[in-house]
Structure formats: C-alpha cells, structure tokens
Amino acid sequence: MRLAARVKRLETKRASGACPGCAGLGCVSLVNERNGQRREDAKGCRLCGRVSKLILLEANHG
C-alpha cells in the first residue's frame, strides 16, 4: 500500500470520531505471560478497549 493511501485511510478513520480516546485506531497493549497474564487480558483504549497491536513478553509458543 502506498504511503499516501495509508495516511488518507488513517485520517478518514480519525475523522469518523468512532472513539474520543483513540479515534478508532486503538492502543498498543503489553502482555507478560510469565506473570500469568493472557492475551484475553490485554487492555487497549481506556474508553473502547480496542487493541491495535499486542506485544507478548516471555511467550512459550510461536
């Protein structure tokens, strides 16, 4: 995807105003499986809960 097309898509998503906290884009979530956290426990945006990227630490699987 060209950069201009990607930027336009993201700007359109923000303009829609889906969520006042993340503008519908979601937030990065960090999960440490060594501490007993699971993927399902990932918390994204404070208002809508959307996760845009999930980072797993100490994962025991591929």
Side-chain angles (χ1 to χ4, degrees), residues 1-16 25:
M1 182 182 296
R2 290 188 348 237
L3 180 60
R6 181 172 170 84
V7 169
K8 184 177 179 181
R9 184 175 57 93
L10 291 172
E11 286 175 348
T12 303
K13 200 170 203 179
R14 283 191 95 156
S16 68
L25 300 175

Side-chain angles (χ1 to χ4, degrees), residues 31-61:
V31 174
N32 190 347
E33 291 188 341
R34 190 174 199 180
N35 292 340
Q37 296 175 338
R38 301 176 309 179
R39 290 181 183 198
E40 295 80 25
D41 299 333
K43 296 177 183 173
C45 175
R46 293 181 190 175
L47 300 176
C48 69
R50 182 180 167 134
V51 176
S52 64
K53 292 185 181 183
L54 181 63
I55 299 173
L56 295 175
L57 298 176
E58 299 292 329
N60 295 328
H61 47 81

